[in-house]
Amino acid sequence: MSITDLDYYQQAVLLLAGLIGLTSFLMLGQSRLVRLVWIFGLQGLLLAATTALVAAVLDSPHLYISALLTFCLKGIVIPNLLNRQIVRLGLHREMDTIEHPARIMMGGAALMVFSYYVSLPVIAQSQLVTLNAVAVSLAVVLLGMLLMITRRQAMAHVVGFMSIENGLFFAAVVSTYGMPMVVELGIAFDVLVAAVIFGVFFLHIRSSIDSLDVDRLSRLSEAEEK
């Protein structure tokens, strides 16, 4: 089936899936923490747009509430909280340098291909074209994990962790047309609480050892064991 055979809803979902996958690649190649967080916020806005689109097509009021929560929390509140923490901790001028960036981007591209490969059996058994977006969701999850593995700053690890949750949320919206309202409220509340707890946790670490470099934290742990 070619792209011209799809209706406008399916084309819009695939377009948004592509943009969400692109933001994961942009986060993977970003060395500035402030820009990394703003790209994460952009990914949250795209998620909100996807949820609102599904709500409009299905005429589902609870998905409108979910889209509004996603817009407020993942697009505005959490990015602003993280950026305020970055400025308060003095990390806004520091570079989270990536070692071997070309290899990491090639690894990200390989994960995208792998996601499509493992999703092929599911897509082949379904008539829903939007299931192609499930492959992008899996890629967003894997790229979030790669972001956490390749970065040294703990703040980047938090963004990678929340990006993984974005991938799971996108899969739930496009493949199941949304979760029960109580589940979505619970997840939104958990993500907000996690952002606040991470912020307090980072302030304590920064005041104790004056760094959020996970390599340095690992060396301190090894020194204490000796």
Side-chain angles (χ1 to χ4, degrees):
M1 182 181 292
S2 66
I3 191 73
T4 54
D5 296 328
L6 306 179
D7 58 33
Y8 289 124
Y9 163 69
Q10 292 169 335
Q11 292 184 28
V13 168
L14 292 180
L15 174 63
L16 289 168
L19 292 175
I20 289 172
L22 177 63
T23 54
S24 287
F25 268 103
L26 291 176
M27 285 194 284
L28 196 61
Q30 191 53 248
S31 56
R32 292 277 187 186
L33 286 175
V34 173
R35 292 176 187 170
L36 176 67
V37 171
W38 284 126
I39 295 172
F40 169 74
L42 175 61
Q43 189 177 68
L45 294 178
L46 291 171
L47 273 178
T50 305
T51 310
L53 176 65
V54 175
V57 171
L58 299 179
D59 193 20
S60 176
H62 89 274
L63 280 178
Y64 281 116
I65 299 174
S66 178
L68 181 61
L69 281 174
T70 304
F71 177 81
C72 293
L73 288 180
K74 297 181 179 179
I76 297 176
V77 175
I78 292 177
N80 276 293
L81 279 176
L82 292 177
N83 269 326
R84 287 182 63 181
Q85 290 295 331
I86 289 171
V87 173
R88 189 172 180 180
L89 295 170
L91 299 173
H92 56 294
R93 293 179 180 174
E94 293 187 12
M95 298 281 288
D96 189 12
T97 308
I98 310 169
E99 295 183 4
H100 309 298
R103 293 181 186 177
I104 293 174
M105 296 306 290
M106 289 178 64
L111 288 176
M112 180 67 81
V113 174
F114 173 76
S115 301
Y116 268 91
Y117 177 74
V118 299
S119 302
L120 279 178
V122 179
I123 296 171
Q125 297 297 323
S126 174
Q127 299 298 319
L128 288 176
V129 179
T130 52
L131 278 178
N132 283 294
V134 173
V136 178
S137 305
L138 178 59
V140 170
V141 171
L142 295 177
L143 290 174
M145 292 180 181
L146 184 61
L147 177 67
M148 294 178 70
I149 293 171
T150 55
R151 294 308 180 89
R152 293 183 303 172
Q153 288 289 341
M155 191 66 75
H157 288 209
V158 173
V159 175
F161 173 75
M162 292 190 174
S163 175
I164 291 173
E165 196 275 330
N166 281 350
L168 296 174
F169 183 83
F170 183 70
V173 169
V174 298
S175 61
T176 67
Y177 300 134
M179 298 170 284
M181 193 65 218
V182 64
V183 177
E184 293 182 7
L185 286 174
I187 292 175
F189 182 72
D190 287 346
V191 171
L192 180 61
V193 170
V196 174
I197 291 176
F198 279 133
V200 175
F201 186 57
F202 289 154
L203 282 175
H204 280 285
I205 294 178
R206 183 76 173 186
S207 62
S208 300
I209 62 174
D210 197 31
S211 176
L212 288 178
D213 190 322
V214 292
D215 289 341
R216 187 175 174 183
L217 295 176
S218 298
R219 288 195 295 271
L220 285 174
S221 176
E222 291 171 359
E224 288 180 357
E225 290 178 358
K226 293 178 181 177

